[in-house]
Amino acid sequence: MVAMVVWLLLAPAQTWSDAATFDRRPDETPLLPVEAIREMPLPEAAKGKPVRIRGVAIYVARDHLPNTNALVVQDATAGIWVPLEHVDLPDEFERGCEVEVEGRTDRGGFAPNLIATSVRVVGPGVLPEARAVSDERFFSGADTCSRVMVDGILQGYRDDDNKWLLIVERSGRRFMASVPKTLLAQDPAALVDAKLRLTGVATSNFNTRGEFMSPRVTVQLPDGVIVLEPPRSKPFDAPFVSLDLIGQFRPQPVGGHRVRTEGTVTFVNPDAFIQVQDGPVGVRVHTRTSEDVAVGDRVEIAGFLDRGRDTVGLAEAEVRRIRKGQPVEPTVITPDAIIAIIAQAQVAGLVAKPGNFDGCLIRFPAHLVEIAKTRGGGLLTLVSGESSIQASLRDPEFQRLSHVRPGSTLDVTGIIQLDRADTYKERKHWYN
Protein backbone atom coordinates (compact mmCIF):
# COMPACT_ATOMS: atom_id res chain seq x y z
CA MET A 1 0.00 0.00 0.00
CA VAL A 2 1.34 3.45 -0.93
CA ALA A 3 0.42 6.65 0.87
CA MET A 4 -0.45 9.50 -1.44
CA VAL A 5 -1.18 13.31 -1.45
CA VAL A 6 0.47 16.55 -2.72
CA TRP A 7 1.01 20.06 -1.38
CA LEU A 8 0.86 23.39 -3.14
CA LEU A 9 4.33 24.13 -4.49
CA LEU A 10 6.18 26.65 -2.38
CA ALA A 11 9.40 26.73 -4.39
CA PRO A 12 10.12 26.84 -8.14
CA ALA A 13 9.89 23.44 -9.80
CA GLN A 14 13.23 21.86 -10.73
CA THR A 15 14.09 19.32 -13.33
CA TRP A 16 16.15 16.26 -12.38
CA SER A 17 19.31 17.72 -13.88
CA ASP A 18 18.85 21.07 -12.10
CA ALA A 19 17.86 19.53 -8.78
CA ALA A 20 20.81 17.13 -8.73
CA THR A 21 23.12 20.02 -7.74
CA PHE A 22 20.77 21.32 -5.01
CA ASP A 23 22.69 21.75 -1.71
CA ARG A 24 25.33 19.28 -2.81
CA ARG A 25 28.83 19.13 -1.40
CA PRO A 26 31.73 17.26 -3.06
CA ASP A 27 31.39 13.46 -2.93
CA GLU A 28 27.94 13.73 -1.33
CA THR A 29 24.58 12.37 -2.42
CA PRO A 30 22.47 15.25 -3.85
CA LEU A 31 19.86 16.74 -1.53
CA LEU A 32 16.61 17.15 -3.49
CA PRO A 33 13.21 18.64 -2.86
CA VAL A 34 10.71 15.78 -2.74
CA GLU A 35 8.85 17.14 -5.73
CA ALA A 36 11.92 16.60 -7.93
CA ILE A 37 11.68 12.85 -7.24
CA ARG A 38 7.92 12.72 -7.69
CA GLU A 39 8.21 14.42 -11.07
CA MET A 40 10.77 11.94 -12.39
CA PRO A 41 9.46 9.82 -15.26
CA LEU A 42 8.70 6.42 -13.78
CA PRO A 43 11.34 4.60 -15.88
CA GLU A 44 13.90 7.13 -14.60
CA ALA A 45 12.86 6.60 -10.99
CA ALA A 46 13.20 2.84 -11.49
CA LYS A 47 16.95 3.25 -12.14
CA GLY A 48 17.66 3.60 -8.43
CA LYS A 49 19.27 7.05 -8.46
CA PRO A 50 21.02 7.96 -5.17
CA VAL A 51 19.41 10.99 -3.51
CA ARG A 52 18.78 12.60 -0.13
CA ILE A 53 15.68 14.38 1.12
CA ARG A 54 14.91 16.39 4.24
CA GLY A 55 11.41 16.78 5.64
CA VAL A 56 8.95 15.92 8.39
CA ALA A 57 7.97 12.30 9.07
CA ILE A 58 4.19 12.68 8.93
CA TYR A 59 3.26 8.97 8.86
CA VAL A 60 4.74 5.80 10.31
CA ALA A 61 3.24 2.82 8.48
CA ARG A 62 3.79 0.26 11.26
CA ASP A 63 1.45 2.28 13.51
CA HIS A 64 -1.40 1.52 11.10
CA LEU A 65 -0.20 -1.45 9.03
CA PRO A 66 1.67 -3.88 11.29
CA ASN A 67 3.37 -5.73 8.43
CA THR A 68 4.54 -2.59 6.63
CA ASN A 69 7.78 -0.81 7.49
CA ALA A 70 7.80 2.62 5.86
CA LEU A 71 7.57 6.35 6.46
CA VAL A 72 5.88 9.19 4.67
CA VAL A 73 8.16 12.22 4.56
CA GLN A 74 6.88 15.62 3.48
CA ASP A 75 8.81 18.79 2.78
CA ALA A 76 7.63 22.18 1.52
CA THR A 77 7.05 20.83 -1.98
CA ALA A 78 5.45 17.37 -1.66
CA GLY A 79 5.41 14.08 0.22
CA ILE A 80 6.84 10.66 -0.62
CA TRP A 81 6.57 7.04 0.52
CA VAL A 82 9.85 5.82 2.04
CA PRO A 83 10.18 2.02 2.46
CA LEU A 84 12.54 1.00 5.28
CA GLU A 85 13.61 -2.38 3.97
CA HIS A 86 16.91 -2.70 5.83
CA VAL A 87 16.93 0.41 8.00
CA ASP A 88 16.33 0.78 11.71
CA LEU A 89 14.95 4.11 12.88
CA PRO A 90 17.14 6.03 15.37
CA ASP A 91 16.18 5.78 19.04
CA GLU A 92 15.30 9.47 19.11
CA PHE A 93 12.87 9.13 16.19
CA GLU A 94 9.20 10.02 16.69
CA ARG A 95 6.42 10.91 14.30
CA GLY A 96 6.54 14.61 13.51
CA CYS A 97 10.32 15.00 13.80
CA GLU A 98 12.44 16.38 10.97
CA VAL A 99 14.52 13.71 9.27
CA GLU A 100 17.12 13.43 6.56
CA VAL A 101 16.72 10.30 4.45
CA GLU A 102 19.33 8.94 2.10
CA GLY A 103 18.41 6.25 -0.37
CA ARG A 104 17.64 5.29 -3.96
CA THR A 105 14.68 6.17 -6.10
CA ASP A 106 12.25 3.42 -6.99
CA ARG A 107 9.33 2.97 -9.38
CA GLY A 108 7.02 2.06 -6.51
CA GLY A 109 3.63 0.41 -6.79
CA PHE A 110 1.99 3.61 -8.02
CA ALA A 111 4.12 6.75 -7.58
CA PRO A 112 7.91 7.07 -7.23
CA ASN A 113 9.30 5.97 -3.85
CA LEU A 114 12.58 6.56 -2.04
CA ILE A 115 13.99 3.31 -0.64
CA ALA A 116 15.92 4.38 2.45
CA THR A 117 19.48 3.31 3.16
CA SER A 118 19.76 5.61 6.19
CA VAL A 119 17.50 7.83 8.30
CA ARG A 120 18.91 10.59 10.48
CA VAL A 121 16.88 12.71 12.91
CA VAL A 122 17.66 16.38 12.30
CA GLY A 123 15.55 17.65 15.20
CA PRO A 124 11.98 18.47 16.23
CA GLY A 125 9.65 19.16 13.35
CA VAL A 126 6.35 20.90 12.71
CA LEU A 127 3.60 18.98 10.97
CA PRO A 128 2.78 20.65 7.66
CA GLU A 129 -0.56 22.41 7.49
CA ALA A 130 -3.26 20.15 6.05
CA ARG A 131 -4.50 21.53 2.74
CA ALA A 132 -8.10 21.33 1.53
CA VAL A 133 -8.28 18.88 -1.37
CA SER A 134 -9.62 19.45 -4.86
CA ASP A 135 -11.71 16.63 -6.30
CA GLU A 136 -9.57 16.42 -9.44
CA ARG A 137 -6.37 15.74 -7.53
CA PHE A 138 -7.84 13.75 -4.64
CA PHE A 139 -9.75 11.28 -6.82
CA SER A 140 -6.90 10.82 -9.30
CA GLY A 141 -4.12 10.01 -6.82
CA ALA A 142 -2.20 13.21 -7.59
CA ASP A 143 -2.31 14.25 -3.92
CA THR A 144 0.41 11.86 -2.89
CA CYS A 145 1.72 11.48 0.65
CA SER A 146 0.69 14.80 2.15
CA ARG A 147 -1.54 15.96 4.95
CA VAL A 148 -4.98 16.80 3.63
CA MET A 149 -8.34 18.08 4.80
CA VAL A 150 -11.43 16.64 3.13
CA ASP A 151 -15.17 17.05 3.78
CA GLY A 152 -17.77 14.38 3.03
CA ILE A 153 -20.89 12.52 4.12
CA LEU A 154 -20.39 9.46 6.34
CA GLN A 155 -22.37 6.64 4.71
CA GLY A 156 -21.11 3.61 6.60
CA TYR A 157 -18.33 2.10 8.66
CA ARG A 158 -16.51 -1.15 9.41
CA ASP A 159 -14.98 -2.39 12.67
CA ASP A 160 -11.30 -3.15 12.00
CA ASP A 161 -9.76 -4.24 15.32
CA ASN A 162 -8.37 -1.08 16.94
CA LYS A 163 -9.66 1.33 14.30
CA TRP A 164 -12.80 2.31 12.45
CA LEU A 165 -12.93 2.29 8.67
CA LEU A 166 -15.30 5.05 7.62
CA ILE A 167 -17.02 4.98 4.22
CA VAL A 168 -17.33 8.60 3.10
CA GLU A 169 -18.98 10.15 0.04
CA ARG A 170 -17.76 13.34 -1.58
CA SER A 171 -19.01 14.79 -4.87
CA GLY A 172 -20.70 11.54 -5.81
CA ARG A 173 -17.62 9.35 -5.17
CA ARG A 174 -16.65 7.25 -2.17
CA PHE A 175 -13.41 6.87 -0.28
CA MET A 176 -12.28 5.20 2.94
CA ALA A 177 -10.94 6.88 6.07
CA SER A 178 -9.06 5.02 8.81
CA VAL A 179 -9.55 6.37 12.35
CA PRO A 180 -8.13 4.86 15.56
CA LYS A 181 -10.95 4.07 17.96
CA THR A 182 -9.21 6.11 20.64
CA LEU A 183 -9.59 9.24 18.47
CA LEU A 184 -13.31 8.91 17.72
CA ALA A 185 -15.30 9.81 20.80
CA GLN A 186 -18.70 9.04 19.26
CA ASP A 187 -20.12 5.74 18.10
CA PRO A 188 -19.84 5.85 14.29
CA ALA A 189 -23.38 4.45 14.05
CA ALA A 190 -24.61 7.76 15.47
CA LEU A 191 -22.69 9.72 12.83
CA VAL A 192 -23.99 7.98 9.70
CA ASP A 193 -25.42 10.61 7.31
CA ALA A 194 -23.46 13.38 9.08
CA LYS A 195 -21.14 15.72 7.20
CA LEU A 196 -17.59 15.29 8.49
CA ARG A 197 -14.28 17.08 8.06
CA LEU A 198 -11.37 14.62 8.05
CA THR A 199 -7.76 15.69 8.51
CA GLY A 200 -4.95 13.21 7.98
CA VAL A 201 -2.51 11.67 5.55
CA ALA A 202 -3.91 10.67 2.17
CA THR A 203 -3.00 7.23 0.89
CA SER A 204 -4.01 5.30 -2.22
CA ASN A 205 -5.52 2.00 -3.22
CA PHE A 206 -4.00 0.83 -6.50
CA ASN A 207 -3.83 -2.35 -8.54
CA THR A 208 -0.91 -4.50 -9.71
CA ARG A 209 -0.74 -2.51 -12.96
CA GLY A 210 0.22 0.57 -10.98
CA GLU A 211 -3.18 2.19 -11.59
CA PHE A 212 -4.89 4.35 -9.00
CA MET A 213 -8.25 3.02 -7.82
CA SER A 214 -9.39 5.16 -4.88
CA PRO A 215 -8.06 7.48 -2.17
CA ARG A 216 -7.88 6.81 1.54
CA VAL A 217 -7.28 9.13 4.49
CA THR A 218 -5.54 8.07 7.70
CA VAL A 219 -6.49 10.19 10.69
CA GLN A 220 -3.77 10.47 13.35
CA LEU A 221 -4.67 13.37 15.64
CA PRO A 222 -7.57 13.97 18.07
CA ASP A 223 -9.00 16.82 15.97
CA GLY A 224 -8.85 14.72 12.81
CA VAL A 225 -12.63 14.13 12.75
CA ILE A 226 -14.94 17.14 13.07
CA VAL A 227 -18.72 16.97 12.67
CA LEU A 228 -19.73 19.85 10.41
CA GLU A 229 -23.41 18.88 10.20
CA PRO A 230 -25.20 16.23 12.29
CA PRO A 231 -27.23 13.50 10.58
CA ARG A 232 -30.29 15.00 8.94
CA SER A 233 -32.66 12.35 10.26
CA LYS A 234 -32.99 8.89 11.68
CA PRO A 235 -32.70 6.23 8.96
CA PHE A 236 -36.40 5.62 8.44
CA ASP A 237 -37.27 9.30 8.72
CA ALA A 238 -35.22 10.08 5.60
CA PRO A 239 -37.07 11.56 2.59
CA PHE A 240 -39.11 8.94 0.72
CA VAL A 241 -38.38 8.28 -2.96
CA SER A 242 -40.25 5.60 -4.87
CA LEU A 243 -38.08 2.78 -6.17
CA ASP A 244 -38.49 3.82 -9.82
CA LEU A 245 -37.21 7.34 -9.10
CA ILE A 246 -34.19 6.78 -6.82
CA GLY A 247 -31.60 7.46 -9.52
CA GLN A 248 -33.56 9.82 -11.74
CA PHE A 249 -33.42 13.58 -12.25
CA ARG A 250 -34.13 15.91 -9.36
CA PRO A 251 -33.45 19.67 -9.43
CA GLN A 252 -31.89 19.52 -5.95
CA PRO A 253 -29.49 16.56 -5.56
CA VAL A 254 -29.48 14.56 -2.34
CA GLY A 255 -25.79 15.42 -1.92
CA GLY A 256 -24.70 12.04 -0.61
CA HIS A 257 -27.39 11.88 2.08
CA ARG A 258 -29.67 8.97 2.84
CA VAL A 259 -32.95 8.24 1.05
CA ARG A 260 -35.84 5.92 1.92
CA THR A 261 -37.80 3.65 -0.40
CA GLU A 262 -39.61 0.30 -0.44
CA GLY A 263 -40.06 -2.79 -2.58
CA THR A 264 -40.69 -6.52 -2.58
CA VAL A 265 -37.77 -8.89 -2.03
CA THR A 266 -37.07 -11.11 -5.04
CA PHE A 267 -33.65 -12.51 -4.06
CA VAL A 268 -31.54 -12.79 -0.92
CA ASN A 269 -27.76 -13.23 -0.89
CA PRO A 270 -27.06 -13.62 2.84
CA ASP A 271 -24.59 -11.12 4.36
CA ALA A 272 -24.18 -9.38 1.00
CA PHE A 273 -27.24 -7.94 -0.73
CA ILE A 274 -30.90 -8.36 -1.49
CA GLN A 275 -32.74 -7.70 -4.72
CA VAL A 276 -36.02 -5.78 -4.49
CA GLN A 277 -38.62 -4.99 -7.12
CA ASP A 278 -41.58 -2.67 -7.48
CA GLY A 279 -43.50 -3.07 -10.73
CA PRO A 280 -41.05 -3.13 -13.68
CA VAL A 281 -38.12 -1.74 -11.63
CA GLY A 282 -35.56 -3.93 -9.85
CA VAL A 283 -32.81 -2.61 -7.54
CA ARG A 284 -29.85 -4.21 -5.76
CA VAL A 285 -29.55 -3.26 -2.09
CA HIS A 286 -26.33 -3.83 -0.14
CA THR A 287 -27.43 -4.11 3.44
CA ARG A 288 -26.01 -3.38 6.89
CA THR A 289 -28.82 -4.75 9.03
CA SER A 290 -29.07 -8.36 10.12
CA GLU A 291 -32.87 -8.59 10.10
CA ASP A 292 -33.87 -11.75 8.26
CA VAL A 293 -35.97 -11.06 5.21
CA ALA A 294 -37.28 -13.59 2.73
CA VAL A 295 -38.40 -13.62 -0.86
CA GLY A 296 -41.87 -12.10 -1.00
CA ASP A 297 -41.41 -9.77 1.98
CA ARG A 298 -42.39 -6.15 1.49
CA VAL A 299 -39.55 -4.09 2.97
CA GLU A 300 -38.68 -0.49 3.75
CA ILE A 301 -35.13 0.54 2.90
CA ALA A 302 -33.02 3.48 4.13
CA GLY A 303 -29.72 3.74 2.27
CA PHE A 304 -27.39 5.72 0.04
CA LEU A 305 -27.38 5.88 -3.74
CA ASP A 306 -24.87 3.52 -5.34
CA ARG A 307 -23.93 4.39 -8.93
CA GLY A 308 -21.20 1.77 -9.19
CA ARG A 309 -23.16 -0.44 -11.63
CA ASP A 310 -25.14 0.14 -14.82
CA THR A 311 -28.29 0.74 -12.78
CA VAL A 312 -28.48 2.75 -9.57
CA GLY A 313 -28.74 0.72 -6.39
CA LEU A 314 -28.57 1.36 -2.66
CA ALA A 315 -25.60 0.82 -0.36
CA GLU A 316 -24.97 0.80 3.40
CA ALA A 317 -28.72 0.28 3.73
CA GLU A 318 -30.89 -0.57 6.70
CA VAL A 319 -33.86 -2.78 5.87
CA ARG A 320 -36.97 -3.62 7.86
CA ARG A 321 -39.93 -5.79 6.99
CA ILE A 322 -43.25 -4.03 6.47
CA ARG A 323 -45.20 -7.25 6.00
CA LYS A 324 -44.87 -10.75 4.70
CA GLY A 325 -46.28 -11.31 1.25
CA GLN A 326 -46.36 -13.37 -1.88
CA PRO A 327 -43.35 -13.64 -4.20
CA VAL A 328 -43.35 -11.37 -7.25
CA GLU A 329 -44.75 -13.04 -10.35
CA PRO A 330 -42.04 -13.20 -13.03
CA THR A 331 -42.61 -11.24 -16.23
CA VAL A 332 -42.76 -13.56 -19.21
CA ILE A 333 -40.45 -11.93 -21.74
CA THR A 334 -37.50 -13.11 -23.85
CA PRO A 335 -34.02 -11.62 -23.69
CA ASP A 336 -34.38 -10.67 -27.37
CA ALA A 337 -37.47 -8.62 -26.54
CA ILE A 338 -35.66 -6.84 -23.68
CA ILE A 339 -32.73 -6.00 -25.96
CA ALA A 340 -35.13 -4.59 -28.56
CA ILE A 341 -36.83 -2.37 -25.95
CA ILE A 342 -33.48 -1.05 -24.74
CA ALA A 343 -32.16 -0.45 -28.27
CA GLN A 344 -35.24 1.54 -29.21
CA ALA A 345 -34.93 3.69 -26.08
CA GLN A 346 -31.20 4.25 -26.68
CA VAL A 347 -31.71 5.51 -30.22
CA ALA A 348 -34.45 7.90 -29.11
CA GLY A 349 -32.69 8.95 -25.92
CA LEU A 350 -35.79 8.08 -23.90
CA VAL A 351 -36.66 5.96 -20.88
CA ALA A 352 -37.33 2.33 -21.83
CA LYS A 353 -41.00 1.38 -21.51
CA PRO A 354 -42.31 -0.43 -19.58
CA GLY A 355 -38.73 -0.67 -18.28
CA ASN A 356 -35.31 -2.11 -19.10
CA PHE A 357 -35.96 -5.08 -16.74
CA ASP A 358 -32.46 -4.94 -15.25
CA GLY A 359 -32.74 -6.43 -11.76
CA CYS A 360 -36.25 -7.79 -12.42
CA LEU A 361 -37.61 -11.30 -12.16
CA ILE A 362 -38.35 -12.71 -15.63
CA ARG A 363 -39.24 -16.06 -17.22
CA PHE A 364 -38.25 -17.32 -20.68
CA PRO A 365 -37.46 -20.54 -22.59
CA ALA A 366 -33.85 -21.35 -23.48
CA HIS A 367 -31.57 -24.14 -24.73
CA LEU A 368 -28.73 -25.38 -22.53
CA VAL A 369 -25.35 -25.10 -24.28
CA GLU A 370 -22.94 -25.85 -21.43
CA ILE A 371 -22.96 -26.53 -17.71
CA ALA A 372 -19.99 -25.90 -15.40
CA LYS A 373 -19.39 -26.33 -11.67
CA THR A 374 -18.13 -23.35 -9.71
CA ARG A 375 -17.32 -22.84 -6.06
CA GLY A 376 -20.63 -22.86 -4.22
CA GLY A 377 -22.75 -23.42 -7.31
CA GLY A 378 -22.50 -23.49 -11.08
CA LEU A 379 -22.92 -21.67 -14.37
CA LEU A 380 -25.25 -22.51 -17.23
CA THR A 381 -24.59 -21.18 -20.71
CA LEU A 382 -27.95 -20.68 -22.41
CA VAL A 383 -29.22 -19.56 -25.79
CA SER A 384 -32.61 -17.93 -26.24
CA GLY A 385 -33.36 -16.72 -29.74
CA GLU A 386 -30.39 -14.56 -30.76
CA SER A 387 -29.25 -13.98 -27.18
CA SER A 388 -26.57 -15.78 -25.21
CA ILE A 389 -27.08 -15.84 -21.44
CA GLN A 390 -24.96 -16.89 -18.47
CA ALA A 391 -27.13 -18.22 -15.65
CA SER A 392 -25.62 -18.41 -12.16
CA LEU A 393 -27.01 -20.90 -9.65
CA ARG A 394 -26.12 -21.62 -6.05
CA ASP A 395 -26.08 -25.00 -4.38
CA PRO A 396 -28.38 -26.85 -3.91
CA GLU A 397 -30.23 -25.48 -6.97
CA PHE A 398 -27.26 -26.34 -9.15
CA GLN A 399 -27.09 -29.89 -7.82
CA ARG A 400 -30.65 -30.51 -8.98
CA LEU A 401 -29.65 -29.54 -12.53
CA SER A 402 -26.18 -31.07 -12.66
CA HIS A 403 -27.53 -34.14 -14.52
CA VAL A 404 -29.19 -32.09 -17.31
CA ARG A 405 -27.45 -32.53 -20.66
CA PRO A 406 -26.49 -29.82 -23.16
CA GLY A 407 -29.17 -29.44 -25.84
CA SER A 408 -32.00 -29.65 -23.32
CA THR A 409 -34.78 -27.07 -23.43
CA LEU A 410 -35.29 -25.27 -20.12
CA ASP A 411 -37.92 -23.00 -18.63
CA VAL A 412 -35.80 -20.32 -16.94
CA THR A 413 -36.90 -18.01 -14.11
CA GLY A 414 -34.44 -15.59 -12.52
CA ILE A 415 -33.20 -12.06 -11.88
CA ILE A 416 -31.77 -10.54 -15.04
CA GLN A 417 -28.58 -8.50 -14.92
CA LEU A 418 -27.77 -6.70 -18.15
CA ASP A 419 -24.21 -6.56 -19.42
CA ARG A 420 -24.07 -4.00 -22.16
CA ALA A 421 -21.62 -1.53 -23.70
CA ASP A 422 -23.15 1.69 -24.96
CA THR A 423 -21.33 3.11 -27.96
CA TYR A 424 -21.14 6.77 -28.91
CA LYS A 425 -23.24 5.98 -31.97
CA GLU A 426 -26.02 4.56 -29.81
CA ARG A 427 -25.99 7.54 -27.47
CA LYS A 428 -25.45 10.37 -29.94
CA HIS A 429 -28.98 11.78 -29.47
CA TRP A 430 -28.73 11.93 -25.65
CA TYR A 431 -28.23 15.64 -25.07
CA ASN A 432 -30.53 16.58 -22.20
Side-chain angles (χ1 to χ4, degrees):
M1 177 176 175
V2 171
M4 312 228 17
V5 169
V6 168
W7 270 42
L8 183 66
L9 182 63
L10 300 180
Q14 299 179 350
T15 65
W16 164 256
S17 58
D18 292 335
T21 60
F22 181 84
D23 195 27
R24 185 177 184 180
R25 295 184 292 274
D27 301 320
E28 190 177 54
T29 303
L31 178 64
L32 299 184
V34 170
E35 187 185 54
I37 303 172
R38 281 173 39 92
E39 292 189 346
M40 284 184 186
L42 293 176
E44 188 77 10
K47 294 179 180 179
K49 294 182 177 292
V51 296
R52 283 184 301 135
I53 61 171
R54 187 176 295 156
V56 176
I58 64 171
Y59 179 96
V60 182
R62 68 188 180 199
D63 294 345
H64 307 273
L65 304 168
N67 297 321
T68 303
N69 192 18
L71 300 176
V72 172
V73 177
Q74 183 176 338
D75 67 5
T77 66
I80 193 167
W81 187 263
V82 180
L84 305 173
E85 295 183 353
H86 306 289
V87 174
D88 293 325
L89 293 175
D91 293 339
E92 66 272 26
F93 175 87
E94 59 182 18
R95 185 176 62 84
C97 68
E98 185 176 0
V99 295
E100 185 173 281
V101 180
E102 187 166 344
R104 294 186 175 274
T105 62
D106 184 68
R107 163 65 176 83
F110 172 57
N113 294 174
L114 176 62
I115 298 178
T117 55
S118 69
V119 177
R120 181 174 66 87
V121 174
V122 176
V126 177
L127 287 176
E129 179 184 357
R131 299 299 181 92
V133 302
S134 71
D135 290 342
E136 181 180 12
R137 296 183 64 83
F138 185 61
F139 287 108
S140 67
D143 282 341
T144 304
C145 296
S146 293
R147 298 191 70 238
V148 296
M149 181 173 62
V150 54
D151 298 350
I153 305 298
L154 178 63
Q155 294 191 338
Y157 62 93
R158 302 288 184 269
D159 189 334
D160 187 25
D161 294 329
N162 61 349
K163 58 183 177 292
W164 295 111
L165 298 180
L166 307 184
I167 301 168
V168 184
E169 189 269 0
R170 174 185 170 89
S171 301
R173 288 172 283 189
R174 291 189 178 95
F175 67 94
M176 195 82 76
S178 175
V179 184
K181 290 181 177 179
T182 55
L183 297 185
L184 191 61
Q186 292 177 268
D187 182 346
L191 295 176
V192 173
D193 205 32
K195 184 175 183 179
L196 305 180
R197 172 162 293 165
L198 301 165
T199 300
V201 178
T203 60
S204 293
N205 297 317
F206 52 89
N207 62 23
T208 54
R209 291 173 52 163
E211 297 168 336
F212 175 82
M213 305 304 293
S214 62
R216 181 166 171 155
V217 175
T218 299
V219 173
Q220 300 175 295
L221 298 176
D223 60 351
V225 181
I226 297 174
V227 179
L228 299 179
E229 298 175 10
R232 291 187 173 182
S233 63
K234 294 180 179 179
F236 293 103
D237 292 334
F240 182 84
V241 182
S242 61
L243 200 66
D244 61 327
L245 296 179
I246 61 168
Q248 296 194 10
F249 171 77
R250 53 174 56 90
Q252 298 300 324
V254 297
H257 288 283
R258 190 159 32 202
V259 297
R260 180 170 55 92
T261 190
E262 66 177 60
T264 300
V265 178
T266 56
F267 179 81
V268 177
N269 186 341
D271 303 320
F273 66 89
I274 63 173
Q275 198 77 29
V276 298
Q277 186 172 333
D278 200 24
V281 177
V283 169
R284 179 174 291 191
V285 180
H286 290 270
T287 61
R288 281 198 55 84
T289 50
S290 57
E291 179 177 350
D292 290 334
V293 296
V295 171
D297 287 348
R298 188 72 178 178
V299 294
E300 188 176 23
I301 305 155
F304 300 91
L305 298 185
D306 179 8
R307 300 183 186 274
R309 302 175 62 245
D310 277 347
T311 54
V312 175
L314 292 166
E316 302 300 319
E318 298 193 31
V319 178
R320 66 183 182 187
R321 183 187 297 109
I322 299 173
R323 62 182 179 273
K324 289 184 176 292
Q326 296 297 316
V328 171
E329 284 294 323
T331 300
V332 179
I333 186 170
T334 65
D336 284 355
I338 294 173
I339 290 171
I341 291 171
I342 293 171
Q344 184 178 7
Q346 284 179 324
V347 170
L350 298 174
V351 174
K353 294 182 178 181
N356 73 355
F357 294 94
D358 196 354
C360 291
L361 188 67
I362 68 168
R363 180 179 177 182
F364 61 95
H367 297 290
L368 177 63
V369 175
E370 187 178 11
I371 186 167
K373 182 76 174 73
T374 62
R375 184 177 181 180
L379 286 176
L380 307 182
T381 301
L382 308 172
V383 170
S384 177
E386 299 297 320
S387 300
S388 178
I389 306 106
Q390 287 280 327
S392 175
L393 294 90
R394 294 181 298 172
D395 286 333
E397 290 87 352
F398 177 74
Q399 295 300 328
R400 291 198 292 266
L401 290 176
S402 59
H403 67 282
V404 179
R405 295 182 178 181
S408 300
T409 300
L410 305 178
D411 186 37
V412 181
T413 300
I415 309 292
I416 187 168
Q417 178 180 322
L418 300 176
D419 183 11
R420 59 187 182 275
D422 294 336
T423 65
Y424 169 74
K425 181 178 179 180
E426 290 171 330
R427 300 175 69 97
K428 66 180 179 180
H429 300 300
W430 294 28
Y431 294 126
N432 64 339

